[in-house]
Amino acid sequence: MVGSSHEALHRIFQKDPTLLTKALQKVLHVPFPETREIAALNVDLTEIEPVEHRVDTLLRAETDEGTYLLVVESQGKVDERKRGSWPYYLSYLYEKYRCEPVLIVITQSSTTAKWASRPIRFGFRDWHSLTVRPLVLGPDNVPVITDERQAEKDVPLAVLSAMTHGRGPQAPAILESLAAALRTIDPESAAVFVQFVDSCLADPQAKQMWRDLMTAIQYFWRHPLAEQVREEGREQGRAEGREEGRAEAKAEMVLHILGWRELPVPDAVRERIQSCTDLNQLETWAQRAIHVKDPTELFATE
């Protein structure tokens, strides 16, 4: 189970390794050769000495032009210690595998992205003995995918968009399009992607909206992460001690989705939703709330 945005940002490439080469070609416009095969490797770079070094994700890509090692580092903030560890990773991996290593840094922060993209140079001013140039994926170059059809065409890239832009003003539209796209892939993959996005959403409102959307389409509840949320719900239910509490929470979820989509809710609609005690009916309204253009459409077939 992914427990942090740091893990999610690099482990998504373990889930779908082709996403990484696609990001290099289409996002960073790096002429990386077409890949025949790609596989995950052991990330432990520790030597005999008691000093631990571990990359976040390590992939081996077999291409028509040779074999490359793709070193993926998830970076949450500026850390000058990486000036020493990143060159070490690349040198060690080349010595161990005799393959060309490529460093890719992924971050949710524009500030961190600018810092990470600066070359690391060792030597004196006019002669550099070693230069490391990281490739950086972040909110300034990962595409913002808010169109449902575009998200359906490339679900992993839409997931990456949600993970890197989850703090921005376009997060609601990104999450909504991704929620719809997840319906088009197999449930097991969808559940894993759901967890990656959930782990990366630092904005509490965005995280709650994502969980509301996933509850409405059911995929969220097939993943172990859902047990944590279900337990939170059970604790709330025990505290309230009555069935009405569950209905109230479900009604609030319907209104929350409508509000998140910036749809003005008439008083009559709000009153009807809040007064409803039928959990099945509220669940139906929650699913409709994701797509309706007017809140009154929730009741169109009733």
Side-chain angles (χ1 to χ4, degrees), residues 130-299:
L130 174 65
T131 301
V132 175
R133 298 179 61 193
L135 293 166
V136 182
L137 292 167
D140 295 329
N141 54 19
V142 173
V144 174
I145 299 179
T146 59
D147 180 74
E148 182 177 325
R149 292 184 179 179
Q150 185 181 0
E152 290 177 357
K153 289 180 180 179
D154 197 333
V155 175
L157 187 59
V159 172
L160 185 62
S161 177
M163 293 166 64
T164 51
H165 295 284
R167 300 177 181 177
Q170 299 190 77
I174 295 172
L175 296 179
E176 185 178 12
S177 64
L178 176 58
L182 288 176
R183 297 172 182 267
T184 66
I185 65 175
D186 66 278
E188 290 187 5
S189 294
V192 174
F193 287 145
V194 166
Q195 188 196 10
F196 285 154
V197 174
D198 188 90
S199 298
C200 285
L201 292 175
D203 183 344
Q205 185 175 7
K207 184 185 285 286
Q208 185 58 52
M209 282 310 311
W210 179 241
R211 292 185 173 184
D212 289 345
L213 286 167
M214 294 302 98
T215 301
I217 65 174
Q218 301 300 319
Y219 284 135
F220 178 75
W221 303 103
R222 301 181 185 183
H223 198 280
L225 176 63
E227 182 56 36
Q228 173 186 340
V229 180
R230 282 197 291 267
E231 181 59 31
E232 292 173 358
R234 284 194 290 267
E235 288 293 339
Q236 181 181 358
R238 284 192 289 267
E240 294 171 344
R242 59 184 184 276
E243 186 72 9
E244 288 85 349
R246 296 176 59 197
E248 289 175 5
K250 184 71 72 173
E252 286 303 312
M253 183 185 75
V254 177
L255 294 172
H256 199 49
I257 294 174
L258 295 172
W260 176 59
R261 296 185 62 214
E262 298 184 351
L263 296 176
V265 182
D267 291 341
V269 173
R270 182 180 302 275
E271 183 179 352
R272 182 170 178 179
I273 293 172
Q274 291 177 330
S275 63
C276 180
T277 58
D278 186 333
L279 290 175
N280 291 330
Q281 180 64 77
L282 288 166
E283 176 64 27
T284 299
W285 290 345
Q287 294 182 28
R288 292 177 184 170
I290 299 172
H291 303 289
V292 298
K293 297 181 179 179
D294 186 289
T296 58
E297 295 176 12
L298 292 176
F299 322 123

Side-chain angles (χ1 to χ4, degrees), residues 89-109:
Y89 295 164
L90 301 181
S91 300
Y92 177 86
L93 288 168
Y94 179 79
E95 179 65 21
K96 180 176 181 178
Y97 292 103
R98 291 293 168 177
C99 300
E100 298 290 342
V102 180
L103 174 62
I104 301 103
V105 179
I106 181 167
T107 180
Q108 295 176 297
S109 165

